[in-house]
């Protein structure tokens, strides 16, 4: 192994360590978010509120688009990611209501 490939391997390992830590943050953050949305789902079911709230979602998308742009993250990706999460939340809300 040349010095250059050894240096590249060390850099790759460092990046992967950071990626693993960030993936853990994502998992814990999502788990925390779902704890709150489960509580929201129970509240909505108890008070006969609809599972989805399009006005709230529009506000979230607008906010996330600004945040993503500021963070140098593709806003379309941020929107798709939020939509994916909310779709799952709405499924949970519907289960609370059935
Ligand atoms: O805020 C709510 O009313 C929720 O039910 C939570 C949530 C979300 O996951 O952020 C999910 C569904 C709604 O359409 C809007 C937002």
């Amino acid at each position: 192994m040349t010095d250059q490939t050894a240096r590249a391997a060390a850099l790759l390992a460092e990046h992967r360590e950071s990626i693993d830590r960030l993936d853990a943050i994502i998992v814990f953050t999502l788990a925390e978010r779902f704890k709150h949305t489960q509580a929201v789902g129970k509240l909505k079911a108890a008070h006969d509120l609809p599972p989805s709230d399009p006005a709230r979602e529009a506000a979230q998308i607008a906010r996330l688009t600004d945040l993503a742009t500021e963070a140098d993250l593709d806003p379309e990706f941020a929107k798709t990611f939020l939509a994916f999460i909310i779709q799952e939340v709405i499924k949970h809300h519907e289960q609370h209501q059935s």
Side-chain angles (χ1 to χ4, degrees):
M1 194 187 278
T2 66
D3 279 0
Q4 264 190 341
T5 52
R7 178 78 195 123
L11 272 175
L12 178 61
E14 272 177 38
H15 285 303
R16 285 181 174 170
E17 270 182 33
S18 295
I19 289 166
D20 285 347
R21 280 194 292 271
L22 290 163
D23 284 348
I25 289 170
I26 292 171
V27 167
F28 279 98
T29 302
L30 278 175
E32 202 57 28
R33 190 185 198 282
F34 276 104
K35 274 184 198 154
H36 287 284
T37 56
Q38 289 289 5
V40 168
K42 284 181 192 158
L43 259 178
K44 285 186 167 182
H47 297 276
D48 262 337
L49 294 167
S52 76
D53 182 340
R56 165 73 177 150
E57 287 182 31
Q60 286 169 289
I61 289 167
R63 178 169 176 268
L64 225 76
T65 300
D66 287 349
L67 282 174
T69 305
E70 195 186 325
D72 210 13
L73 176 72
D74 178 1
E76 279 307 311
F77 171 76
K79 260 198 264 186
T80 305
F81 186 58
L82 181 70
F84 177 68
I85 294 169
I86 289 181
Q87 186 186 32
E88 187 67 19
V89 171
I90 290 172
K91 238 193 284 172
H92 295 172
H93 287 357
E94 286 167 351
Q95 283 161 6
H96 282 300
Q97 303 207 335
S98 59

